[in-house]
Amino acid sequence: MRTPHVIDLAGVDAAVYGIPFDTATSYRTGPRFGPEAIRSASALLRPYNPALGVNLVDRLSIVDYGDVPVSPGDTERTYAQIEDALAPLVDAGVFPAALGGDHSITLAELRALARKHGPLALVQLDSHGDVWESYFGQQYFHGTTFKRALEEGLLDARSSVQAGMRGSLYGPGDIDVAKEMGFTVLTTDELRDLGPQRYGELVREKVGERPVLMSFDIDFLDPAFAPGTGTPEAGGFSTAEALAFVRNLRGVDLVGCDVVEVSPPYDGPGSVTALAAATVMYDLLSLRALAAAR
């Protein structure tokens, strides 16, 4: 959004930062280039959000914090680097907004935030639940993120909502495992039937007063609208529908967010995936600005 690159946190309300990491990708690599592409696409975005009725720069001092250090090929070392880089933001009370990167990075974000806030509620828009025990024999992978987060006590599953699940599975139990952990899980068809307004009501009911991390995987969108992602799943939502779901999260205690899995090598003409991701982040920052206004 043409915000200044600043690392001095004095007077800063929100910091957007990149995590250019895709070692934990299972299919199409390329999300390490996601932060750069999202930043480029965001140059068009203007301060006033008419859909939510808020001027971001009037309500928030927003900076681009740059990219945090990562170690390609070493997921656990990268987690430690992310946690170290986020600690100053969390300690200063700055709202952290991450541009991914594959979905494994959210575990490190949760670790950093939970040190201050305790177990968080997860609000996840995604086509995959990411709750497998392991993937390709690895316990730290983009398909295992929220299983690890529960094991580490970073999340309250019963306050968390995963929505948009769809696509082929390895077996009928794949969709049930998250429910057995305590998550509220909505398939794409269930979410479409529910609609944005009732979805927002459900989320507010589930999360209550608990602090929330909102994680948006760009494969929530149908590949027709977001081809540039690592694990595309047909039958998803349009960009307009996705933004409506995000905007109906007004009122939750949002303490952090990310937009992940943008893979620019597979994006279409006009960088439509990156633009969708930038606009989702714009709306998430707008939700934070609304909270600041209250």
Side-chain angles (χ1 to χ4, degrees):
M1 291 174 54
R2 303 184 302 278
T3 55
H5 172 45
V6 172
I7 58 173
D8 180 353
L9 297 174
V12 172
D13 297 314
V16 181
Y17 62 98
I19 308 180
F21 182 76
D22 60 9
T23 293
T25 303
S26 55
Y27 189 47
R28 296 172 171 175
T29 56
R32 71 181 63 188
F33 303 111
E36 177 185 12
I38 297 169
R39 283 189 178 97
S40 294
S42 76
L44 177 66
L45 295 171
R46 304 171 184 91
Y48 182 72
N49 186 330
L52 289 170
V54 65
N55 188 309
L56 272 67
V57 299
D58 280 353
R59 297 296 181 182
L60 297 177
S61 171
I62 306 171
V63 302
D64 188 331
Y65 199 59
D67 287 351
V68 303
V70 299
S71 296
D74 192 334
T75 304
E76 292 184 68
R77 184 171 190 269
T78 293
Y79 285 166
Q81 291 172 291
I82 297 169
E83 291 171 59
D84 287 345
L86 290 190
L89 296 175
V90 176
D91 290 345
V94 174
F95 180 75
L99 309 175
D102 68 51
H103 219 158
S104 70
I105 63 174
T106 307
L107 181 60
E109 298 168 44
L110 285 166
R111 287 175 178 174
L113 287 165
R115 288 192 185 102
K116 177 174 182 178
H117 299 286
L120 294 102
L122 172 71
V123 176
Q124 178 186 359
L125 290 173
D126 199 335
S127 64
H128 311 98
D130 300 338
V131 290
W132 280 322
E133 170 59 30
S134 63
Y135 205 40
F136 290 98
Q138 299 180 57
Q139 288 207 313
Y140 296 102
F141 216 62
H142 74 163
T144 68
T145 302
F146 301 115
K147 175 78 181 298
R148 297 289 89 79
L150 281 181
E151 291 171 347
E152 295 181 21
L154 309 176
L155 287 179
D156 177 4
R158 300 207 174 273
S159 299
S160 300
V161 181
Q162 298 181 312
M165 307 299 111
R166 68 180 187 277
S168 55
L169 301 169
Y170 290 109
D174 278 5
I175 199 71
D176 294 325
V177 64
K179 295 179 181 178
E180 292 166 0
M181 293 174 183
F183 289 104
T184 296
V185 181
L186 300 172
T187 66
T188 286
D189 291 339
E190 290 169 337
L191 182 58
R192 186 169 277 123
D193 289 344
L194 195 64
Q197 183 174 343
R198 290 170 59 205
Y199 165 72
E201 293 168 357
L202 172 66
V203 169
R204 284 187 290 274
E205 175 190 338
K206 290 293 181 180
V207 305
E209 300 299 317
R210 190 173 289 278
V212 172
L213 174 84
M214 200 294 167
S215 189
F216 188 99
D217 189 320
I218 203 67
D219 69 25
F220 178 77
L221 299 177
D222 190 89
F225 299 91
T229 190
T231 315
E233 299 286 1
F237 293 92
S238 70
T239 309
E241 289 173 311
L243 294 175
F245 287 116
V246 171
R247 290 165 182 165
N248 273 277
L249 295 174
R250 298 176 189 88
V252 303
D253 182 16
L254 197 64
V255 298
C257 67
D258 65 24
V259 179
V260 299
E261 296 286 357
V262 173
S263 185
Y266 293 91
D267 209 353
S271 301
V272 291
T273 310
L275 177 59
T279 309
V280 168
M281 179 56 75
Y282 174 75
D283 276 355
L284 289 169
L285 289 168
S286 298
L287 291 175
R288 180 68 178 187
L290 284 175
R294 289 195 299 272

